[in-house]
Amino acid sequence: MPGMLSNPQATLLTIAVSPDSVTLPALRSRFQITVTGTFSDASERRLTSDPATLYASRNQAVAFASAGGSVVANGVGSAVIVASSRGHFGTSPFAY
């Protein structure tokens, strides 16, 4: 199950967001962010669809981020997409 840990006592240490940056070719283009967590038991788990993972855009006029990490180009410019999970944050710069 997404978000379920093999060791339920393991705690999230860091998250990584990929891709590192994105430039989209057209308005209304979509791309998918992937979030991976590293846990205290040295395991890595994909957290992209985990209900505890939230997404936001620092400039919604340029890019809109929705649940599950889907991002849509809304306008010309740049934005930073932020993913957060269990108190940890990661970013992906975006441009159109």
Side-chain angles (χ1 to χ4, degrees):
M1 295 178 85
M4 297 298 293
L5 303 177
S6 55
N7 175 359
Q9 295 179 343
T11 56
L12 181 62
L13 299 175
T14 63
I15 65 171
V17 178
S18 59
D20 292 333
S21 66
V22 174
T23 301
L24 292 182
L27 190 62
R28 303 288 180 234
S29 295
R30 295 180 177 271
F31 73 97
Q32 179 67 44
I33 291 223
T34 301
V35 178
T36 304
T38 302
F39 290 83
S40 59
D41 64 355
S43 66
E44 287 189 349
R45 303 265 315 158
R46 183 160 291 178
L47 301 176
T48 306
S49 298
D50 187 304
T53 303
L54 305 175
Y55 300 89
S57 170
R58 291 196 178 150
N59 187 350
Q60 289 193 20
V62 173
F64 177 78
S66 62
S70 179
V71 179
V72 178
N74 286 335
V76 176
S78 61
V80 174
I81 306 303
V82 179
S84 64
S85 185
R86 299 171 181 91
H88 297 273
F89 298 86
T91 62
S92 180
F94 167 88
Y96 166 70

